[in-house]
Amino acid sequence: MIGIIFGPPGSGKGTQAAKIEKEFDLKHLSTGDILRSEVASGSPTGKEAGRIMAAGDLVPDELIVDIVRMRLPEAEAGRGVLLDGFPRTERQAQALDAMLADEGHRVDFVIALEVPEPELVDRLLHRAKVEGRADDTRKAITERMHEYHKLTEAVLDHYRRQGVPVQLVDGRGAPDEVFERIRQAIGISSR
Ligand code: AP5
Ligand code: MG
């Protein structure tokens, strides 16, 4: 099973992915987490990516697709995979579809979290105080929202056109309440 947890910055992708991973025995693959560990390693790729991420922009498609191409076979080999933060552009979606088709697989479901923008901003500014993530500044948050609307939202239509079940889930309320909605939505998608 290949699933995508989708949504704007701060919508709860990472929070919910941890719960989905456990309940549905999927391997969580977060391109944001992978990039942040590259940044922490101080590698040349990490340095370049770190500058782009701190500004709230998207790193180049080729870099992200290479990262996923390296990790997907191992993740796919065992359990299913839950993608978080990928694909984020139409080109990434096409590249993912091609990678999966090579293995005779396809995206089985997309769960798209919906949270009003003022609440997203509040969540991220709150996290800035607790965790200090480099891109949780007001300026970078604005840019991340802009990139989401400009490039990422279109990925939903990409999958709708292909007949992949895209379930919109209300991302407001307590994390466990949101998870209960997701659990039901995945149940419907995999019927
Ligand atoms: P990425 O790491 O994917 O960040 P993001 O999409 O901006 O989203 P976040 O991780 O900030 O939020 P989330 O939706 O995971 O929510 P979370 O559970 O953390 O990407 C970062 C950057 O990397 C990108 O900007 C880009 O530069 C680069 N990048 C990554 N992938 C890329 C790709 N494919 N292509 C190109 N570039 C890429 O929750 C947020 C906060 O809210 C937390 O503090 C959490 O505790 C809290 N919270 C969660 N749920 C709730 C709730 N129900 N109620 C109240 N608070 C909640
Ligand atoms: Mg995240």
Side-chain angles (χ1 to χ4, degrees):
M1 186 149 76
I2 312 283
I4 298 174
I5 181 84
F6 192 91
S11 56
K13 299 183 293 293
T15 303
Q16 296 300 328
K19 297 176 186 290
I20 299 167
E21 177 171 44
K22 257 197 233 151
E23 173 97 10
F24 293 92
D25 196 26
L26 300 175
K27 169 96 180 103
H28 177 202
L29 211 63
S30 156
T31 45
D33 289 348
I34 294 166
L35 287 169
R36 279 183 289 279
S37 64
E38 271 297 318
V39 173
S41 79
S43 69
T45 305
K47 280 188 183 135
E48 194 202 332
R51 275 193 294 274
I52 297 170
M53 292 164 77
D57 293 319
L58 297 185
V59 307
D61 287 333
E62 303 74 49
L63 175 67
I64 287 290
V65 169
D66 283 348
I67 285 177
V68 174
R69 186 173 284 125
M70 272 189 322
R71 285 167 169 83
L72 196 59
E74 193 197 325
E76 257 183 308
R79 331 174 246 166
V81 181
L82 182 68
L83 296 165
D84 161 4
F86 177 88
R88 235 174 166 102
T89 63
E90 177 84 38
R91 278 187 59 201
Q92 291 180 18
Q94 287 163 357
L96 172 65
D97 295 347
M99 278 185 249
L100 292 175
D102 284 345
E103 307 293 321
H105 295 162
R106 65 187 303 239
V107 174
D108 295 296
F109 68 83
V110 180
I111 299 292
L113 295 171
E114 296 188 303
V115 177
E117 193 151 316
E119 182 169 343
L120 296 172
V121 175
D122 282 350
R123 287 184 186 182
L124 296 175
L125 289 176
H126 175 73
R127 187 173 65 190
K129 287 184 214 147
V130 185
E131 290 177 27
R133 216 173 93 170
D135 56 352
D136 285 343
T137 60
R138 226 173 241 285
K139 191 158 175 245
I141 292 169
T142 304
E143 181 61 16
R144 285 156 70 195
M145 297 298 169
H146 177 74
E147 295 282 271
Y148 176 78
H149 294 301
K150 191 173 77 174
L151 294 165
T152 305
E153 248 176 348
V155 169
L156 290 181
D157 277 330
H158 171 93
Y159 285 112
R160 285 190 186 108
R161 281 196 301 273
Q162 299 195 6
V164 173
V166 173
Q167 305 267 359
L168 305 181
V169 170
D170 183 354
R172 294 170 302 174
D176 281 339
E177 286 171 49
V178 177
F179 179 62
E180 191 45 42
R181 293 179 202 127
I182 292 176
R183 221 164 54 81
Q184 288 180 18
I186 294 179
I188 293 166
S189 299
S190 53
R191 231 177 252 156

